[in-house]
Amino acid sequence: MSEPRSVLITGANQGIGAAIAARFLDQGDKVSTIYHSGQAPDERVLGIVGDVTDTATVEGAFKQIEAENGPVEVLVANAGITRDQLLLRMTDAEFDSVLAVNLGGAFKCVRRASKSMLRLKRGRIVLIGSVVAMYGSPGQVNYSSSKAALVGMARSLTREIGSRGITANVVAPGFIDTAMTAALPQERQDAYKATIPAGRFAQPDEVAGVVHFLAGPDAGYVSGAVIPVDGGLGMGH
Ligand code: NDP
């Protein structure tokens, strides 16, 4: 087994983030998370309650992580929210809050993590996007915009810091069996399943495996990519 790395996964107290945390823990890595509420997913995870939209909170969390686990070598920007609403009814607050968490939170963590990655001359940044970034989704103008922007972020990061041993990629899940999808009415869930070539939603661990690959030695030359985990829904986009 290789040396344990300091891995930060935002929003890892549940859902996809918790599955990603479990993967890295299984490989012996030191895992931390900045999350909103509740409990850290595992007693081995360094859980810091805070809001990724707040720069001071992010700074404080990184200092604590660096002191306890060492400089962050792998950042998975996973924290995300939805505030679905049809365009004409979407309020400024619904638009702004989704952009603030999904895009702004990712930016603040990436900016802070890149400091130590540049010093180390290695690092892995994985941004959790969504199939709807490229596919579109009615009622999700805010959410799909925020997720599409992560593609630009990963590609600009690749051009800016890619020569320093740092990769930046987007993993774009389709429908995953989590609280986010369980909240959909059953008939909407069935309708979505009918459009997915795989005919089912994915388990969170199926996303975690792809994230873990991108953070591992076999993906050192993969950067600026969007890797779909969507059962074929987006047909590679
Ligand atoms: P969950 O709602 O289960 O988990 C989201 C996590 O983000 C929670 O831990 C939540 O904490 C945390 N979080 C939200 N806002 C903040 C914040 N401001 N600061 C810190 N933490 C925050 O979502 P999923 O596991 O389903 O989704 C994880 C990621 O995957 C998201 O980015 C989502 O957009 C994306 N995704 C999910 C899909 C799905 O089908 N589930 C499909 C495509 C993409 P708390 O609960 O305490 O607020």
Side-chain angles (χ1 to χ4, degrees):
M1 201 178 276
S2 51
E3 280 288 296
R5 296 178 296 177
S6 174
V7 178
L8 168 61
I9 304 153
T10 62
N13 59 313
Q14 61 184 40
I16 295 170
I20 297 169
R23 276 278 172 154
F24 283 97
L25 286 171
D26 283 351
Q27 299 301 312
D29 286 314
K30 292 177 281 184
V31 177
S32 56
T33 185
I34 307 170
Y35 67 108
H36 234 181
S37 60
Q39 296 270 308
D42 186 291
E43 60 189 13
R44 293 168 293 169
V45 173
L46 169 60
I48 299 164
V49 175
D51 187 334
V52 290
T53 67
D54 183 63
T55 303
T57 301
V58 170
E59 177 61 31
F62 269 81
K63 286 209 169 110
Q64 192 180 337
I65 294 162
E66 285 163 356
E68 297 192 31
N69 287 357
V72 172
E73 282 185 59
V74 178
L75 169 68
V76 184
N78 166 78
I81 60 169
T82 51
R83 295 287 180 270
D84 295 355
Q85 187 55 271
L86 294 174
L87 174 64
L88 291 179
R89 292 195 199 140
M90 189 174 285
T91 63
D92 287 356
E94 283 163 344
F95 184 84
D96 293 346
S97 59
V98 169
L99 269 289
V101 176
N102 299 4
L103 180 59
F107 162 69
K108 285 170 185 182
C109 292
V110 164
R111 182 177 56 186
R112 185 56 180 77
S114 67
K115 262 192 189 181
S116 53
M117 290 179 181
L118 286 166
R119 222 173 288 129
L120 289 168
K121 296 196 172 54
R122 63 174 185 274
R124 296 298 170 89
I125 297 168
V126 181
L127 310 174
I128 305 298
S130 170
V131 65
V132 304
M134 302 299 173
Y135 197 70
S137 174
Q140 291 198 310
V141 162
N142 49 2
Y143 182 78
S144 57
S145 303
S146 73
K147 294 298 190 181
L150 295 177
V151 178
M153 186 185 290
R155 291 180 175 165
S156 296
L157 287 168
T158 296
R159 291 196 188 278
E160 190 168 328
I161 56 179
S163 65
R164 316 288 279 276
I166 300 167
T167 66
N169 292 288
V170 173
V171 169
F175 289 96
I176 315 298
D177 219 344
T178 66
M180 209 179 248
T181 43
L184 297 168
Q186 189 59 48
E187 52 295 358
R188 282 264 295 283
Q189 293 191 34
D190 294 342
Y192 286 140
K193 279 180 194 159
T195 65
I196 301 167
R200 63 175 179 89
F201 293 165
Q203 290 308 305
D205 190 52
E206 296 180 279
V207 180
V210 176
V211 172
H212 192 257
F213 161 74
L214 287 171
D218 288 339
Y221 206 55
V222 180
S223 198
V226 180
I227 313 286
V229 186
D230 62 5
L233 180 61
M235 286 295 164
H237 295 291

mmCIF file of all heavy atoms in Angstrom, residues 175-177 181 184 186-202 231 233:
data_model
loop_
_atom_site.group_PDB
_atom_site.id
_atom_site.type_symbol
_atom_site.label_atom_id
_atom_site.label_comp_id
_atom_site.label_asym_id
_atom_site.label_seq_id
_atom_site.Cartn_x
_atom_site.Cartn_y
_atom_site.Cartn_z
ATOM 1 N N PHE A 175 -28.185 9.886 -12.390
ATOM 2 C CA PHE A 175 -29.062 9.725 -11.222
ATOM 3 C C PHE A 175 -28.471 8.694 -10.270
ATOM 4 O O PHE A 175 -28.242 7.553 -10.655
ATOM 5 C CB PHE A 175 -30.463 9.302 -11.667
ATOM 6 C CG PHE A 175 -31.187 10.423 -12.344
ATOM 7 C CD1 PHE A 175 -31.195 10.536 -13.725
ATOM 8 C CD2 PHE A 175 -31.845 11.395 -11.600
ATOM 9 C CE1 PHE A 175 -31.843 11.586 -14.352
ATOM 10 C CE2 PHE A 175 -32.490 12.454 -12.218
ATOM 11 C CZ PHE A 175 -32.494 12.547 -13.599
ATOM 12 N N ILE A 176 -28.229 9.134 -9.067
ATOM 13 C CA ILE A 176 -27.599 8.272 -8.064
ATOM 14 C C ILE A 176 -28.594 8.093 -6.916
ATOM 15 O O ILE A 176 -29.314 9.038 -6.560
ATOM 16 C CB ILE A 176 -26.287 8.906 -7.529
ATOM 17 C CG1 ILE A 176 -25.426 9.476 -8.680
ATOM 18 C CG2 ILE A 176 -25.515 7.910 -6.689
ATOM 19 C CD1 ILE A 176 -24.939 8.481 -9.705
ATOM 20 N N ASP A 177 -28.596 6.885 -6.380
ATOM 21 C CA ASP A 177 -29.525 6.549 -5.303
ATOM 22 C C ASP A 177 -29.122 7.255 -4.003
ATOM 23 O O ASP A 177 -28.383 6.698 -3.204
ATOM 24 C CB ASP A 177 -29.451 5.031 -5.102
ATOM 25 C CG ASP A 177 -30.800 4.459 -4.820
ATOM 26 O OD1 ASP A 177 -31.692 5.238 -4.494
ATOM 27 O OD2 ASP A 177 -30.939 3.224 -4.920
ATOM 28 N N THR A 181 -32.165 12.150 -4.905
ATOM 29 C CA THR A 181 -33.079 11.514 -5.860
ATOM 30 C C THR A 181 -34.290 10.899 -5.150
ATOM 31 O O THR A 181 -35.380 10.862 -5.712
ATOM 32 C CB THR A 181 -32.358 10.425 -6.683
ATOM 33 O OG1 THR A 181 -31.528 9.669 -5.816
ATOM 34 C CG2 THR A 181 -31.533 11.010 -7.786
ATOM 35 N N LEU A 184 -37.457 12.852 -5.087
ATOM 36 C CA LEU A 184 -38.298 12.992 -6.288
ATOM 37 C C LEU A 184 -39.527 12.096 -6.160
ATOM 38 O O LEU A 184 -39.432 10.976 -5.658
ATOM 39 C CB LEU A 184 -37.519 12.558 -7.539
ATOM 40 C CG LEU A 184 -36.284 13.373 -7.907
ATOM 41 C CD1 LEU A 184 -35.466 12.645 -8.972
ATOM 42 C CD2 LEU A 184 -36.697 14.751 -8.408
ATOM 43 N N GLN A 186 -42.222 9.271 -6.977
ATOM 44 C CA GLN A 186 -41.958 7.962 -7.576
ATOM 45 C C GLN A 186 -42.169 7.980 -9.095
ATOM 46 O O GLN A 186 -41.354 7.424 -9.847
ATOM 47 C CB GLN A 186 -42.847 6.889 -6.924
ATOM 48 C CG GLN A 186 -42.490 5.467 -7.322
ATOM 49 C CD GLN A 186 -41.044 5.080 -6.962
ATOM 50 O OE1 GLN A 186 -40.600 5.312 -5.847
ATOM 51 N NE2 GLN A 186 -40.314 4.513 -7.917
ATOM 52 N N GLU A 187 -43.230 8.664 -9.561
ATOM 53 C CA GLU A 187 -43.463 8.620 -11.015
ATOM 54 C C GLU A 187 -42.366 9.352 -11.779
ATOM 55 O O GLU A 187 -41.986 8.948 -12.882
ATOM 56 C CB GLU A 187 -44.866 9.065 -11.410
ATOM 57 C CG GLU A 187 -45.481 10.310 -10.978
ATOM 58 C CD GLU A 187 -45.797 10.553 -9.504
ATOM 59 O OE1 GLU A 187 -45.585 9.689 -8.616
ATOM 60 O OE2 GLU A 187 -46.268 11.664 -9.255
ATOM 61 N N ARG A 188 -41.800 10.414 -11.173
ATOM 62 C CA ARG A 188 -40.662 11.093 -11.815
ATOM 63 C C ARG A 188 -39.465 10.150 -11.842
ATOM 64 O O ARG A 188 -38.738 10.057 -12.845
ATOM 65 C CB ARG A 188 -40.268 12.372 -11.049
ATOM 66 C CG ARG A 188 -41.161 13.574 -11.283
ATOM 67 C CD ARG A 188 -40.627 14.542 -12.351
ATOM 68 N NE ARG A 188 -39.392 15.230 -12.052
ATOM 69 C CZ ARG A 188 -39.284 16.277 -11.239
ATOM 70 N NH1 ARG A 188 -40.336 16.747 -10.599
ATOM 71 N NH2 ARG A 188 -38.132 16.882 -11.075
ATOM 72 N N GLN A 189 -39.237 9.419 -10.732
ATOM 73 C CA GLN A 189 -38.102 8.472 -10.689
ATOM 74 C C GLN A 189 -38.265 7.416 -11.778
ATOM 75 O O GLN A 189 -37.307 7.098 -12.488
ATOM 76 C CB GLN A 189 -38.029 7.784 -9.321
ATOM 77 C CG GLN A 189 -37.674 8.717 -8.187
ATOM 78 C CD GLN A 189 -37.357 7.945 -6.905
ATOM 79 O OE1 GLN A 189 -36.801 6.850 -6.932
ATOM 80 N NE2 GLN A 189 -37.700 8.531 -5.771
ATOM 81 N N ASP A 190 -39.484 6.870 -11.923
ATOM 82 C CA ASP A 190 -39.724 5.837 -12.944
ATOM 83 C C ASP A 190 -39.526 6.398 -14.348
ATOM 84 O O ASP A 190 -38.943 5.735 -15.218
ATOM 85 C CB ASP A 190 -41.142 5.263 -12.796
ATOM 86 C CG ASP A 190 -41.303 4.495 -11.490
ATOM 87 O OD1 ASP A 190 -40.266 4.129 -10.889
ATOM 88 O OD2 ASP A 190 -42.464 4.282 -11.072
ATOM 89 N N ALA A 191 -39.976 7.638 -14.548
ATOM 90 C CA ALA A 191 -39.827 8.256 -15.873
ATOM 91 C C ALA A 191 -38.351 8.453 -16.192
ATOM 92 O O ALA A 191 -37.908 8.196 -17.322
ATOM 93 C CB ALA A 191 -40.567 9.590 -15.903
ATOM 94 N N TYR A 192 -37.579 8.879 -15.209
ATOM 95 C CA TYR A 192 -36.144 9.067 -15.443
ATOM 96 C C TYR A 192 -35.482 7.727 -15.778
ATOM 97 O O TYR A 192 -34.671 7.630 -16.701
ATOM 98 C CB TYR A 192 -35.466 9.679 -14.220
ATOM 99 C CG TYR A 192 -35.756 11.151 -14.023
ATOM 100 C CD1 TYR A 192 -35.985 11.675 -12.755
ATOM 101 C CD2 TYR A 192 -35.786 12.043 -15.100
ATOM 102 C CE1 TYR A 192 -36.249 13.028 -12.558
ATOM 103 C CE2 TYR A 192 -36.054 13.393 -14.921
ATOM 104 C CZ TYR A 192 -36.279 13.879 -13.648
ATOM 105 O OH TYR A 192 -36.538 15.199 -13.460
ATOM 106 N N LYS A 193 -35.853 6.681 -15.007
ATOM 107 C CA LYS A 193 -35.224 5.366 -15.238
ATOM 108 C C LYS A 193 -35.472 4.891 -16.664
ATOM 109 O O LYS A 193 -34.610 4.261 -17.282
ATOM 110 C CB LYS A 193 -35.750 4.334 -14.228
ATOM 111 C CG LYS A 193 -35.046 4.447 -12.887
ATOM 112 C CD LYS A 193 -35.552 3.445 -11.878
ATOM 113 C CE LYS A 193 -35.061 3.845 -10.489
ATOM 114 N NZ LYS A 193 -35.812 3.292 -9.388
ATOM 115 N N ALA A 194 -36.659 5.214 -17.193
ATOM 116 C CA ALA A 194 -36.989 4.784 -18.554
ATOM 117 C C ALA A 194 -36.088 5.441 -19.596
ATOM 118 O O ALA A 194 -35.913 4.911 -20.696
ATOM 119 C CB ALA A 194 -38.458 5.097 -18.833
ATOM 120 N N THR A 195 -35.495 6.594 -19.256
ATOM 121 C CA THR A 195 -34.632 7.288 -20.236
ATOM 122 C C THR A 195 -33.157 6.908 -20.091
ATOM 123 O O THR A 195 -32.334 7.309 -20.906
ATOM 124 C CB THR A 195 -34.732 8.820 -20.071
ATOM 125 O OG1 THR A 195 -34.195 9.177 -18.783
ATOM 126 C CG2 THR A 195 -36.162 9.308 -20.185
ATOM 127 N N ILE A 196 -32.827 6.169 -19.042
ATOM 128 C CA ILE A 196 -31.413 5.828 -18.789
ATOM 129 C C ILE A 196 -31.103 4.487 -19.458
ATOM 130 O O ILE A 196 -31.758 3.482 -19.144
ATOM 131 C CB ILE A 196 -31.134 5.713 -17.267
ATOM 132 C CG1 ILE A 196 -31.458 7.034 -16.561
ATOM 133 C CG2 ILE A 196 -29.686 5.302 -17.010
ATOM 134 C CD1 ILE A 196 -31.526 6.926 -15.042
ATOM 135 N N PRO A 197 -30.137 4.444 -20.415
ATOM 136 C CA PRO A 197 -29.834 3.170 -21.062
ATOM 137 C C PRO A 197 -29.587 2.033 -20.072
ATOM 138 O O PRO A 197 -30.004 0.901 -20.323
ATOM 139 C CB PRO A 197 -28.588 3.497 -21.900
ATOM 140 C CG PRO A 197 -28.782 4.936 -22.258
ATOM 141 C CD PRO A 197 -29.408 5.563 -21.033
ATOM 142 N N ALA A 198 -28.945 2.306 -18.942
ATOM 143 C CA ALA A 198 -28.689 1.243 -17.952
ATOM 144 C C ALA A 198 -29.967 0.810 -17.240
ATOM 145 O O ALA A 198 -29.987 -0.244 -16.586
ATOM 146 C CB ALA A 198 -27.655 1.708 -16.926
ATOM 147 N N GLY A 199 -31.029 1.598 -17.333
ATOM 148 C CA GLY A 199 -32.330 1.222 -16.774
ATOM 149 C C GLY A 199 -32.420 1.283 -15.260
ATOM 150 O O GLY A 199 -33.354 0.728 -14.663
ATOM 151 N N ARG A 200 -31.472 1.959 -14.633
ATOM 152 C CA ARG A 200 -31.480 2.027 -13.162
ATOM 153 C C ARG A 200 -30.714 3.259 -12.718
ATOM 154 O O ARG A 200 -29.954 3.847 -13.503
ATOM 155 C CB ARG A 200 -30.834 0.774 -12.557
ATOM 156 C CG ARG A 200 -29.358 0.623 -12.916
ATOM 157 C CD ARG A 200 -28.693 -0.561 -12.217
ATOM 158 N NE ARG A 200 -27.291 -0.687 -12.600
ATOM 159 C CZ ARG A 200 -26.263 -0.099 -11.996
ATOM 160 N NH1 ARG A 200 -26.475 0.690 -10.962
ATOM 161 N NH2 ARG A 200 -25.021 -0.273 -12.415
ATOM 162 N N PHE A 201 -30.905 3.627 -11.436
ATOM 163 C CA PHE A 201 -30.043 4.633 -10.831
ATOM 164 C C PHE A 201 -28.769 3.918 -10.377
ATOM 165 O O PHE A 201 -28.769 2.702 -10.176
ATOM 166 C CB PHE A 201 -30.720 5.288 -9.623
ATOM 167 C CG PHE A 201 -31.932 6.125 -9.961
ATOM 168 C CD1 PHE A 201 -32.824 6.514 -8.963
ATOM 169 C CD2 PHE A 201 -32.171 6.548 -11.256
ATOM 170 C CE1 PHE A 201 -33.939 7.297 -9.262
ATOM 171 C CE2 PHE A 201 -33.289 7.329 -11.573
ATOM 172 C CZ PHE A 201 -34.169 7.696 -10.565
ATOM 173 N N ALA A 202 -27.700 4.710 -10.181
ATOM 174 C CA ALA A 202 -26.442 4.115 -9.705
ATOM 175 C C ALA A 202 -26.382 4.151 -8.186
ATOM 176 O O ALA A 202 -27.072 4.941 -7.541
ATOM 177 C CB ALA A 202 -25.260 4.890 -10.271
ATOM 178 N N GLY A 231 -24.818 5.826 -16.533
ATOM 179 C CA GLY A 231 -25.512 4.715 -17.194
ATOM 180 C C GLY A 231 -25.817 4.974 -18.659
ATOM 181 O O GLY A 231 -26.725 4.354 -19.228
ATOM 182 N N LEU A 233 -26.782 7.927 -19.919
ATOM 183 C CA LEU A 233 -27.803 8.969 -20.120
ATOM 184 C C LEU A 233 -27.298 10.123 -20.992
ATOM 185 O O LEU A 233 -27.984 10.579 -21.896
ATOM 186 C CB LEU A 233 -28.277 9.490 -18.758
ATOM 187 C CG LEU A 233 -29.343 10.584 -18.768
ATOM 188 C CD1 LEU A 233 -30.627 10.103 -19.432
ATOM 189 C CD2 LEU A 233 -29.641 11.047 -17.339
#
